[in-house]
Amino acid sequence: MTMVRSACPLNCPDGCAFLVEKRENSLLIKGDPANNITKGFICSKGQALGKRVFSPDRLKFPLLRQGQRWERVSWDQAYLLLTEAIKKTLDDVGPWGIFHHYDYGSNGVLRELDQRFFQALGGVTEPRGSMCWGAGYQAQELDFGGVFSNSWEDLEDAKTIVLWGRDPAVTNVHLIPHLLGAKKRGARVLVINPIRVKSAEFADEYYQVRPGTDGALALGLSHIILRERWQDTLFIQNYIQGFEGFARRAKEFFPEKVAAITGVGVTQLTQLARAVSHAGPVSIILGYGLQRYIKGGNAVRAIDGLAAISGNIGWAGAGVHYAHQYHQGKMNSVLLPPERYRSRTYPHPILAEELLKADPAIQLAVVTRSNPLVQQPNSQLWRDLWRKIPFKVVIDTVLTETARQSDLVLPAATIFEEEDLVKTSWSPLIHYAQKVLEPQGEVQAEPVIFTELAKRLGIEKDFPYASSREWLEFVLQPLSETYEISLDKLAQGPVYAPYIPKVAWENKDFKTPSGKIELSSELDLADLGEAVEFPYHLLTPHPGNAMHSQFHQDEGFKVFLHPDLAEKFRLNHGDQAIVETAYGQLVAAVVLSEDIHPETVVLPEGTTSEGLGVNQLILGKCSDIGESTCYYEMRCQIRKWYLD
Ligand code: SF4
C-alpha cells in the first residue's frame, strides 16, 4: 500500500508530519519519521482525524434550512443563494453589511483564501485581536520587536527549564523528549502552574501559583534578584531600555506581598529567583493560559523582563519561548495587500455586543474555520446576535453548533481531500500535505468554493490560479528561488526551514525602535484584589483529547476541585455541583483532585445537549495588550445541586 505524505491541520505547536494510507472506508495515519520533531509518533487527536473523514456526522452535501429541518440542495443552488445574498448586501448597505468570522480551526495556507475573497469584495466586517494568544504575542513584539524562540533542540543546552503555565505532557507532547534530553544532561525542570499538571510528574520542582498572578510572581522574583544584586549588569547596560522604570515597578513587589498574592511562599520565591539568576542558561516556556487575563499582556512583559534582567535572552539554552514568526515574509501570501481593501473590525472579546449595535447592521454572516457560538465568550449574546442576522452561512466539515443555528451549510474538504502547505508558529518544518483521496460525497475544498464564488461575482481576476497546485507554487515561489524548496522537494518529506536559527536574538539585533529590549510594566498590586461574591478562580482549559469544540463528545461537564474546597460545600466525588459566574451557571459532575489550587475551579471545555459550552459562563473582556479574550478572568461560586 502507498503511504501519502500529509500533515496535521490542527492548531497545535508540534506541527506533525503524517504518512497516510487509504484503506476501505478508513485512513491509517502514522507519524512521519522524516520530521525530526514528530519522529514517527502522533497523538490521539491526530489519529482521530482519519475517522472524521468517514464519520457518519460528516457533511457531504450543501444543506439549506427550511424551518426546523434541513433540505439538501445542489452546489449550483447554494452558490446562487450565497452570491445573491452577497450582491443584495453590497447593493443595500455595502460590504460592511457582510460579517466574516474565521479562526484557526484548520491549518493550511490555502485556507486563508477565505480572507482573500472578502478582501476582494472591498473589505467586510471582521474580528480583530485574538481569541487565544494575542496578549502574550503583542507583549513580546513590544519587548523584543518580534516573537522568536530558540529551536526545540536548543533546550538541551539549558541548565534550567521553566514550564510556566505550560503542560507539554498534554498539549505539546513532542517537546517531552527534548526536556528529558536536557534533564539527562543535568538540566532542572521547574513547573509553575495553578494545577499540578501532568508535566509536574517529571519536573524537579513544582510551584503552585494562584491563577492570574503570574505577572506579580515575575515582578516579585525580579525584586529579589535586584535586591540581592543578582542581575546581569553588563547585559542590562548593553541591551535593555527602560530598566530603571522596570526596576522601580519591581521594587513595589515585596516578597511578603507577592507571597500573599501568588500563594508561593517567601522561601520558594527566593529559591526560584536564585535558579533564574544563578542556574542559567534558563529557558522559560510559556503557556497561553497565563495571558488570558485583563493584565495578561503585562504578565508576559513581566516574565520577559525577568528573563532579560537575568541575562537570559539571546544565548544558547536561554530565552522566553512563546511562538515564532520566522516564516513571515518568507513565502508569498495569499492575502491581498492592505491598501486594496478597507475592513470594519471589532475586537474578538466584545464582538457580539459590537455587532449588535453596528451601523450598517450585519445582513449576511459567513463562518469559516471556526465555531463562534461555542468558541466565543458571551454565548447567550452570540445566540441573540445570530437570531438577528437575516442570512447565515457556514463552511465546515461537520454540523457544528454555529452551523446548526445557520441557514446555509456548505460541506468543506478535510486536509486529506485537497493538497495544501502546512507550517505552524512553533515548529521549524514546512510540510506539503498531499491529496490522499477524492472528496467524500459532494464535498468541495475551500480554494474551489472561493474561486467559484469569485467567478460568479466578477472578481475572478483576484483568483488567478485554476488549481490548488498553482496556488501552492505561487506561495512557495520565493523559497523555491532562494532555497530550492519546491513542491517536488517537499513531496519527498518535510523541510526544516533554512532561515530558522538555533538561537533567537543571537546577534542582539532587537527589532524595537531603540534596537534594545524595551522593558515596561503596568502591573499594579491594586489590580489583584479579591472578588467577594464570586470568590473562586474559574479556569476552562481544553481537555486532553480535544481541541476546543473539535472532537467534543457530549458527555456533560466535569468540574475539578481540591478536596478542601469541595469539603466547604459538602461536595463529594461524583456529586453534581452548580458552577456560577456573574454571567451564567451550569451543572457539572464533581471530580476531586489534590492537584488543583484550593481556590480554583477547573471546568474543562464541553457542551450541553443544547449546544452551549463553558463560554456560557464567560463574559468577554479585552486584555491590556493585543485585544485578546480574557477567558480566565472570571471568578465563580459553587454549590451543591440537589435534584428535585
Ligand atoms: S501532537 Fe499536535 S500536531 Fe501532532 S498529531 Fe497531535 S495534534 Fe497534531
Side-chain angles (χ1 to χ4, degrees):
M1 274 288 180
T2 341
M3 301 295 279
V4 180
R5 286 213 143 87
S6 183
C8 184
L10 298 176
N11 192 15
C12 166
D14 296 27
C16 285
F18 289 166
L19 287 175
V20 189
E21 184 184 309
K22 185 179 171 310
R23 298 179 162 182
E24 180 81 23
N25 290 331
S26 69
L27 293 178
L28 176 70
I29 306 177
K30 292 182 180 168
D32 186 348
N35 176 322
N36 67 350
I37 289 173
T38 305
K39 285 187 178 149
F41 160 74
I42 58 167
C43 77
S44 58
K45 286 171 276 192
Q47 284 164 7
L49 288 166
K51 293 197 195 96
R52 286 188 115 197
V53 176
F54 300 98
S55 156
D57 294 336
R58 183 79 197 278
L59 284 168
K60 293 195 184 150
F61 313 100
L63 297 175
L64 179 67
R65 172 174 296 288
Q66 295 291 4
Q68 291 306 305
R69 56 180 192 86
W70 291 102
E71 181 184 290
R72 178 175 164 182
V73 291
S74 68
W75 272 102
D76 208 38
Q77 284 170 291
Y79 282 132
L80 192 65
L81 281 164
L82 181 49
T83 50
E84 288 303 312
I86 291 172
K87 282 184 200 159
K88 184 170 180 339
T89 310
L90 293 176
D91 288 348
D92 290 353
V93 293
W96 287 0
I98 301 171
F99 170 53
H100 177 213
H101 190 282
Y102 60 92
D103 211 63
Y104 297 97
S106 184
N107 276 337
V109 297
L110 298 188
R111 305 287 161 158
E112 291 177 6
L113 285 171
D114 54 358
Q115 284 168 265
R116 183 184 180 95
F117 172 78
F118 292 104
Q119 290 164 351
L121 288 179
V124 297
T125 300
E126 292 178 321
R128 67 165 194 263
S130 159
M131 277 198 281
C132 176
W133 66 343
Y137 198 86
Q138 207 174 329
Q140 289 221 316
E141 287 190 324
L142 290 169
D143 290 335
F144 306 118
V147 186
F148 297 101
S149 307
N150 291 16
S151 69
W152 297 45
E153 304 85 46
D154 174 75
L155 284 173
E156 301 194 17
D157 286 335
K159 287 278 169 290
T160 301
I161 299 173
V162 185
L163 300 175
W164 200 323
R166 197 172 193 105
D167 185 16
V170 174
T171 60
N172 196 183
V173 287
H174 294 89
L175 200 60
I176 302 296
H178 297 283
L179 297 173
L180 297 179
K183 271 184 74 110
K184 240 187 210 161
R185 295 175 62 169
R188 288 169 65 74
V189 174
L190 319 181
V191 168
I192 302 175
N193 205 304
I195 303 169
R196 185 183 284 272
V197 287
K198 206 161 176 236
S199 303
E201 284 171 19
F202 62 80
D204 298 285
E205 284 158 33
Y206 166 62
Y207 298 88
Q208 188 161 59
V209 62
R210 187 173 282 127
T213 63
D214 304 87
L217 178 60
L219 287 175
L221 299 177
S222 299
H223 177 109
I224 297 172
I225 289 173
L226 295 171
R227 188 191 64 195
E228 301 300 323
R229 301 186 194 283
W230 291 342
Q231 72 269 30
D232 186 333
T233 306
L234 204 58
F235 188 88
I236 293 170
Q237 279 167 1
N238 289 336
Y239 305 121
I240 295 184
Q241 163 141 323
F243 169 71
E244 291 75 19
F246 182 80
R248 264 196 310 277
R249 184 49 54 102
K251 211 170 173 186
E252 295 167 24
F253 283 71
F254 286 101
E256 294 71 20
K257 270 189 191 169
V258 172
I261 293 166
T262 62
V264 179
V266 174
T267 314
Q268 281 186 305
L269 289 172
T270 310
Q271 190 180 313
L272 248 178
R274 183 179 278 279
V276 171
S277 54
H278 285 61
V282 180
S283 282
I284 299 176
I285 305 180
L286 296 181
Y288 299 144
L290 63 88
Q291 50 91 63
R292 290 189 183 132
Y293 293 89
I294 287 176
K295 289 284 183 175
N298 270 285
V300 171
R301 295 202 76 177
I303 296 171
D304 289 345
L306 169 68
I309 64 163
S310 54
N312 279 302
I313 302 289
W315 314 111
V320 185
H321 297 237
Y322 191 74
H324 79 71
Q325 48 189 208
Y326 288 115
H327 296 306
Q328 265 182 24
K330 290 289 190 286
M331 305 179 204
N332 283 331
S333 169
V334 301
L335 304 183
L336 290 177
E339 59 275 13
R340 281 283 315 275
Y341 59 93
R342 198 164 70 89
S343 308
R344 175 174 68 167
T345 62
Y346 298 108
H348 264 292
I350 50 170
L351 198 47
E353 52 190 285
E354 291 296 327
L355 291 178
L356 277 164
K357 52 187 191 215
D359 181 17
I362 303 300
Q363 304 295 319
L364 165 68
V366 181
V367 175
T368 57
R369 303 184 271 155
S370 58
N371 184 9
L373 265 60
V374 175
Q375 290 173 310
Q376 289 280 9
N378 303 342
S379 305
Q380 299 289 2
L381 204 61
W382 269 91
R383 291 193 163 213
D384 294 347
L385 168 73
W386 225 236
R387 275 190 287 271
K388 289 192 173 125
I389 298 176
F391 197 60
K392 285 96 56 184
V393 183
V394 173
I395 301 176
D396 214 318
T397 57
V398 291
L399 206 60
T400 61
E401 184 55 25
T402 308
R404 248 191 290 275
Q405 307 290 336
S406 295
D407 304 290
L408 178 65
V409 183
L410 307 181
T414 63
I415 189 95
F416 307 112
E417 294 161 315
E418 183 55 291
E419 56 192 329
D420 211 332
L421 209 61
V422 178
K423 56 190 170 56
T424 79
S425 53
W426 251 64
S427 164
L429 286 118
I430 306 168
H431 304 90
Y432 177 21
Q434 298 176 64
K435 188 168 172 177
V436 180
L437 75 169
E438 287 306 316
Q440 297 290 291
E442 291 181 8
V443 158
Q444 292 193 358
E446 275 111 323
V448 177
I449 297 173
F450 287 104
T451 304
E452 182 61 31
L453 286 170
K455 217 184 290 168
R456 288 171 181 246
L457 287 162
I459 51 170
E460 63 272 27
K461 69 173 185 350
D462 283 322
F463 280 76
Y465 302 113
S467 67
S468 293
R469 186 168 179 103
E470 284 176 74
W471 276 109
L472 294 177
E473 278 165 355
F474 159 74
V475 170
L476 274 182
Q477 191 189 352
L479 287 189
S480 179
E481 286 169 5
T482 317
Y483 303 104
E484 296 181 353
I485 300 174
S486 61
L487 277 183
D488 290 339
K489 179 162 182 181
L490 288 169
Q492 307 307 310
V495 170
Y496 196 111
Y499 43 82
I500 298 189
K502 188 167 175 246
V503 176
W505 308 117
E506 193 163 20
N507 300 326
K508 317 294 180 291
D509 53 344
F510 301 102
K511 307 285 184 238
T512 53
S514 65
K516 294 183 170 189
I517 300 171
E518 295 193 354
L519 295 190
S520 171
S521 175
E522 286 166 19
L523 274 184
D524 197 327
L525 286 166
D527 294 330
L528 301 155
E530 290 291 298
V532 178
E533 191 183 354
F534 297 103
Y536 305 112
H537 299 272
L538 176 64
L539 299 184
T540 54
H542 56 83
N545 60 353
M547 196 79 87
H548 305 300
S549 60
Q550 290 171 323
F551 311 110
H552 90 266
Q553 294 191 338
D554 196 358
E555 293 165 349
F557 296 103
K558 284 194 177 120
V559 60
F560 292 76
L561 304 174
H562 190 279
D564 292 351
L565 181 59
E567 168 82 33
K568 276 192 194 164
F569 296 92
R570 304 207 173 154
L571 283 161
N572 295 309
H573 192 91
D575 281 352
Q576 298 285 309
I578 293 178
V579 183
E580 184 179 12
T581 67
Y583 190 59
Q585 57 172 242
L586 56 75
V587 176
V590 171
V591 180
L592 298 183
S593 168
E594 300 266 358
D595 297 336
I596 313 288
H597 188 285
E599 290 163 26
T600 303
V601 171
V602 177
L603 184 69
E605 292 165 351
T607 48
T608 59
S609 50
E610 298 89 46
L612 281 168
V614 292
N615 288 328
Q616 62 186 292
L617 302 185
I618 309 293
L619 191 60
K621 294 178 192 162
C622 269
S623 58
D624 49 356
I625 296 171
E627 299 187 307
S628 205
T629 309
C630 304
Y631 288 100
Y632 294 174
E633 192 65 47
M634 293 306 287
R635 296 293 193 105
C636 70
Q637 181 58 281
I638 49 169
R639 62 180 190 273
K640 197 161 186 162
W641 188 54
Y642 294 98
L643 279 169
D644 295 332

